[in-house]
Amino acid sequence: MVAKTAFIYLTAFSRTGGIEQFNKNVMASLTQLNIRTDIFSVHDSTCDEQFTNAASFKGLSGNRLAFLWSCISNANKFDRILIGHINL
């Protein structure tokens, strides 16, 4: 059985800063290591395919309730959850 991972974070593509770069690096690493990952973002609406596959990306464009629902309703699908910000 292949482990499935969720990566949840605030922003990576819609803003510029240290935590955004960290989140991009995490996504790029997961992609390069071929780790099956679903990615959920609170604030991003699209991803840069240089860092991750768009098919595994779900950007909620600032809709916190939809983000929370996406994370909770899918939680039982994952063996691991990586969190990209201390506020999460």
Side-chain angles (χ1 to χ4, degrees):
M1 180 172 99
V2 176
K4 185 132 186 209
T5 302
F7 178 54
I8 61 174
Y9 71 95
L10 297 176
T11 63
F13 306 110
S14 60
R15 297 184 185 155
T16 304
I19 194 67
E20 288 79 12
Q21 189 59 51
F22 170 83
N23 290 332
K24 289 177 193 175
N25 290 340
V26 169
M27 286 184 270
S29 297
L30 292 167
T31 300
Q32 289 174 359
L33 293 170
N34 291 320
I35 297 174
R36 289 184 47 204
T37 306
D38 284 355
I39 299 169
F40 300 90
S41 172
V42 177
H43 296 293
D44 291 336
S45 57
T46 60
C47 70
D48 183 340
E49 291 211 40
Q50 173 183 347
F51 298 99
T52 191
N53 180 353
S56 65
F57 178 82
K58 179 124 175 118
L60 285 301
S61 305
N63 186 335
R64 293 178 186 178
L65 189 58
F67 172 79
L68 182 62
W69 178 251
S70 291
C71 292
I72 291 172
S73 65
N74 289 297
N76 63 345
K77 297 179 187 176
F78 303 110
D79 300 308
R80 303 168 242 196
I81 298 176
L82 301 176
I83 299 174
H85 197 281
I86 190 113
N87 287 341
L88 294 172

